[in-house]
Amino acid sequence: ENFRSLLEVVSSGLEAGLVGQVGTLLPAGASRFVLFDTYARKKLGNTASENIRFLSAFAGTLVQRACFSISIREFDRLCDVENLDDETRQHLLLSKLLQIRGGRISFLHELFFTAFAAEAAIRAANGDISRILAALASPRYFMSRAFILGAIEDEQILQAVLENTTDSNLFVACVRGECGITAQIEVKHKIDVMLASMLTESKRIDFQIVGEEWTGVAVNRESCS
């Protein structure tokens, strides 16, 4: 059942493949972000904590530069800045989460970049709701928005973010389950409350005749108050 629900959420062949590889490790109602994070942790083994910290910094660098790759030389400098030792770096390269082409290094797939960009945004926000909302509104994180919501594990922060979100596409992603079970339940509840409110309002609306023909009918504004 968990595999079936996960496959209904994912939107690419890559993700379906990841579900096949790590689906048994995922909790029920996992988000797309958790799918990528779990796969990365499995590939990185005992270096997961250090390398995920580095990969989020790498993704953050790409986001800030609005690019998809950096040169090997810049990669080496970033490793030094993030204190990534040679052994941990080699483990990262062997994991195949990154690829080297023509002297430049990038994520193996755009969706890995998307997931780790979300991780970078969450780490940079450090629980600050206004910074999370700013990331959701930023064009730089456009592809990572559903992943950002899926990466929030504090229910109070998630609820506060959803209360201040007006992006209909994000709500659709939540309802589909892309952002995890908690976001899905929260948004579905908000929709139920809104529909009930609309039904109540529609029952109280009165109309009045103000003229002739089709344009001669108007809503009685007092009935809407």
Side-chain angles (χ1 to χ4, degrees):
E1 183 62 32
N2 193 30
F3 272 92
R4 187 179 296 110
S5 62
L6 285 167
L7 289 173
E8 289 175 354
V9 167
V10 300
S11 58
S12 67
L14 169 64
E15 291 169 283
L18 298 189
V19 170
Q21 294 185 60
V22 299
T24 56
L25 304 176
L26 298 174
S31 66
R32 291 173 70 197
F33 170 83
V34 172
L35 171 63
F36 279 87
D37 179 77
T38 302
Y39 176 80
R41 289 180 184 277
K42 180 182 178 182
K43 296 291 287 185
L44 294 168
N46 58 9
T47 67
S49 294
E50 292 177 272
N51 274 321
I52 285 177
R53 173 180 58 81
F54 175 79
L55 286 171
S56 66
F58 178 49
T61 299
L62 297 180
V63 168
Q64 292 304 314
R65 297 188 184 187
C67 63
F68 290 99
S69 66
I70 59 176
S71 70
I72 292 295
R73 292 164 294 284
E74 291 177 303
F75 184 79
D76 288 342
R77 294 164 193 152
L78 184 60
C79 289
D80 289 341
V81 170
E82 296 297 325
N83 296 315
L84 199 71
D85 60 62
D86 290 339
E87 183 179 352
T88 306
R89 174 184 171 180
Q90 287 304 313
H91 202 114
L92 171 60
L93 295 176
L94 289 172
S95 72
K96 302 299 183 181
L97 294 172
L98 302 176
Q99 64 180 357
I100 302 174
R101 286 184 179 177
R104 299 186 68 82
I105 191 162
S106 63
F107 282 96
L108 177 65
H109 192 281
E110 182 182 348
L111 283 171
F112 283 106
F113 175 28
T114 300
F116 280 102
E119 176 70 18
I122 291 298
R123 291 189 180 218
N126 193 29
D128 187 328
I129 295 170
S130 62
R131 295 185 70 178
I132 296 174
L133 290 170
L136 290 173
S138 172
R140 293 180 183 273
Y141 289 100
F142 180 79
M143 298 301 296
S144 297
R145 292 174 302 164
F147 284 79
I148 291 173
L149 282 183
I152 301 173
E153 299 192 348
D154 186 310
E155 292 188 15
Q156 290 184 330
I157 293 177
L158 178 60
Q159 185 175 17
V161 170
L162 289 173
E163 286 290 336
N164 291 278
T165 299
T166 58
D167 189 327
S168 60
N169 290 324
L170 271 181
F171 289 139
V172 170
C174 288
V175 170
R176 289 190 68 247
E178 293 183 35
C179 306
I181 189 65
T182 303
Q184 185 182 47
I185 292 172
E186 182 69 24
V187 171
K188 283 187 174 181
H189 174 69
K190 290 169 71 69
I191 291 173
D192 289 341
V193 170
M194 181 179 294
L195 289 175
S197 175
M198 292 170 65
L199 183 60
T200 300
E201 182 180 9
S202 66
K203 288 181 177 179
R204 329 188 266 270
I205 292 178
D206 291 330
F207 297 89
Q208 57 186 349
I209 298 175
V210 295
E212 298 179 354
E213 299 181 356
W214 293 106
T215 59
V217 179
V219 173
N220 181 0
R221 294 184 180 277
E222 292 182 1
S223 68
C224 299
S225 60

